[in-house]
Amino acid sequence: MTTTTHETAAPAAELMLGDDAVAFAALHAGIHNAYAYPGTPSTEIFARVIRETKDGGEVVAHWCANEKSAYEGAIGASLAGRRALVTMKHVGLNVAMDPFVNSALLGLGGGLVVAVADDPGMHSSQNEQDSRCLAEFARVPCLEPATPQEAYDMTREAFALSERCQVPVVLRLVTRLCHERARVRVRPAEPPKPLHKAGPRQDWVLLPANARRLFDGLLAEQPELRAASERSPYNRRTGGAGRRGVLTTGIGRRYLGEVLPEMREPPPHLHIATYPLPEALVRAFAADLDEVLVLEDGYPFVERSLRGLLPEACRVLGRESGALPASGELNVVNVRAALGLPALPLHEAAGLQLPARPPRLCDGCVHRDSYAAMLQVMQDTGIGAVTGDIGCYTLGALPPYQAIDSCVCMGASIGMAKGASDAGLRPAIAVIGDSTFLHSGIPPLVDAIAHDTDMTVLILDNETTAMTGGQPTELPDSRLLPVVLGLGADPAHVHVFQAHPRKVPELAALIRKEVAHPGLSLIVVRRECVQTASARRKHEG
Amino acid sequence: MKADVVLAGVGGQGVLTVARLLAEAAAADGFHVVQGELHGMSQRGGAVQAHLRISDQPIESPQVPRGRAHLLVGLEPVETLRNIAWLAPGGRIVTAIRPVENVPDYPPIEQVLAALRRFPEAILIDAHELAVAAGSARAENLVIAGAAFSLLPLTRGKLRGIVRRRGERWTEAEREAAIQALAAGRAAIGGAAAVHD
Ligand code: SF4
């Protein structure tokens, strides 16, 4: 029988999100620094850290301009001997990839834990990349909790592991766990680590001579990391005898647990929660098996490793073999099918075509004005390229506006508009939010200014990071203009427009004028997000 | 005892609030509770779904499996139908009937309600009217919370206490409307029996 950790929770324990559990665990592990950029489904971790620390105390918790900056802050904390938590969504780790991979080589002082929230099924993301692959790429340990209680326990453990092995540790979460509320029992807090500068300097300066030595050191550390994984109590062998085994990771274990009562006898079961993969454990588990079915959310990460690890005679089934869908989340339906259990009969809404109901821009949203004005302009100028970005305004791709041609990654709108314009596709208009601009829009704007590219940048300034729930942007909006001008944009073609639904024609006229300008122009369209505004009014009461 | 609940509605209607209230009430009764939801997009108006699992045994899957919900709770009739595959055979539906017509191809409401009435265990509630009568049009979700609560094997009165505590910063009138809305929901259920294994 698989077990969940809920049964150990005291009845009085508080209901908390998986995200909350990570936050409390990091605080109880004595972090001194915490950094993040918001991103669903990781945002609530940091929101909790902020809420718990706002009334003073030692902990420094800052939202950052982007994940790279956040991660670098955490490395700096480790240099100072302090424990640090950094949180982000999976694609955020791409942004932080450079410091993340290199930090594995350093002689870390304070424990550094990066909590990364993957989004299998892409509920609110552009891809479903699997952070376990990136942890392996950087050759650092990765812990994968299956319940909010484990999220708490393993976060605490991750700090100790990071310090013991002097490597950053990835905590891999998934949407369902981040946003699952359950009872979590917490443990007494540890005191924070004292300020103590880590050294020696050769372990922190990645000049080639040092880096070669440190990389060899990281490679030499791998057996110890694997040994720690082999010993971990979170990897558990359960179930019965038989020749067809099931290997689970993360919440895959819980889907198996859900259907176990319906199976004639429980299959041999190994749960894996720590990486590098505990190979000896896996080999021992599979020794007498003809077949292993792997239930893992995300990429066929363990499944692929098994193919090189187990004797050919043992069949490996999973997302790559076709036993489970290659994309999307695990769920009880596809796990039942993979285990050969009959499908459950499902009700249908017979005879009625249900309309899709995607999220939409709020009534009164400033972006509605911007898109209405842009559509008016494009009636005359033709469409050219309108490159979009990541934020509420991405919804401008859907009816009724259908006003943007692309959405790729944070900040891509400006670089792509430049490329499209350079290639001759004009007018080229980049549409980017204020928070996204600060996150990743400034470097490509430097390029566009340097070449006075024939393009128009619209910074849609709603004075907040709206999509993830209204976190403050890193700079007050009054500073956007000085930033842009300071980079050298021509003041004659830089405007701030205070939007109002009645002023759409005026905004259209301004866009028309700047689109006609054969060089770089930039318009900040400003009005506060209606959700943030109403939350603020409620707060101010 | 095991009760699996799926809740559905449109963003901004308060689906997640209902899920949380019921989860807290069940936790206060000492049950194992797992409540999951999909959120993150701040914009209003999209489809929202939440799951609630209550049991006297440890709970495995974080979501209610399709085809297993004892109770499907809807704040909007099309969203209720959208989630019908979650309902177990013989499971109960509690749904508000007022449509949120923020999409161009919304089907005629009579057809939607007729499709819901085809399920013998469906309880259709004019939650909007009851909320207005209780003193606040915004308490539609609490009417449904009151109705759903009375179909779960939970201690009477618990929900009221939780709503009172949550509404600490409300005015007396708002609190009163909330309590009235819960009671109206409970009354709308009539004598229907609790749903669970
Ligand atoms: S949350 Fe704010 S920015 Fe996003 S759609 Fe609504 S009003 Fe616009």
Side-chain angles (χ1 to χ4, degrees), chain B residues 136-175:
Chain B
S136 165
R138 294 222 320 269
E140 197 170 335
N141 65 333
L142 293 180
V143 172
I144 296 298
F149 179 82
S150 0
L151 289 170
L152 295 171
L154 301 176
T155 313
R156 275 187 77 154
K158 273 268 153 60
L159 192 58
R160 225 175 309 149
I162 287 165
V163 168
R164 276 226 177 83
R165 261 201 308 289
R166 288 192 131 222
E168 259 170 14
R169 301 211 329 241
W170 300 349
T171 65
E172 190 49 44
E174 284 171 326
R175 242 193 322 269

Side-chain angles (χ1 to χ4, degrees), chain B residues 48-196:
Chain B
V48 176
Q49 187 203 51
H51 292 234
L52 173 63
R53 311 195 75 189
I54 304 170
S55 177
D56 52 12
Q57 300 296 315
I59 296 164
E60 294 288 347
S61 165
Q63 295 123 262
V64 176
R66 273 176 199 256
R68 288 287 202 221
H70 302 94
L71 179 61
L72 171 59
V73 178
L75 289 180
E76 203 279 347
V78 157
E79 295 312 315
T80 310
L81 276 178
R82 195 191 304 287
N83 289 278
I84 206 79
W86 260 271
L87 194 67
R92 196 175 274 289
I93 299 172
V94 170
T95 181
I97 56 170
R98 194 166 68 118
V100 176
E101 295 184 57
N102 64 354
V103 283
D105 41 1
Y106 198 97
I109 183 65
E110 310 77 57
Q111 284 181 27
V112 176
L113 297 182
L116 282 167
R117 286 201 183 94
R118 232 170 277 144
F119 295 88
E121 303 290 326
I123 302 176
L124 279 59
I125 299 178
D126 191 341
H128 177 70
E129 200 186 284
L130 292 176
V132 171
S136 165
R138 294 222 320 269
E140 197 170 335
N141 65 333
L142 293 180
V143 172
I144 296 298
F149 179 82
S150 0
L151 289 170
L152 295 171
L154 301 176
T155 313
R156 275 187 77 154
K158 273 268 153 60
L159 192 58
R160 225 175 309 149
I162 287 165
V163 168
R164 276 226 177 83
R165 261 201 308 289
R166 288 192 131 222
E168 259 170 14
R169 301 211 329 241
W170 300 349
T171 65
E172 190 49 44
E174 284 171 326
R175 242 193 322 269
E176 191 48 35
I179 301 299
Q180 291 300 327
L182 291 177
R186 189 171 60 237
I189 291 302
V195 292
H196 60 88

Side-chain angles (χ1 to χ4, degrees), chain A residues 361-362 365 367 392 462 466 529-531, chain B residues 42-43:
Chain A
L361 293 171
C362 304
C365 175
H367 303 329
C392 289
N462 54 10
C529 160
V530 296
Q531 300 302 346
Chain B
S42 299
Q43 316 89 359

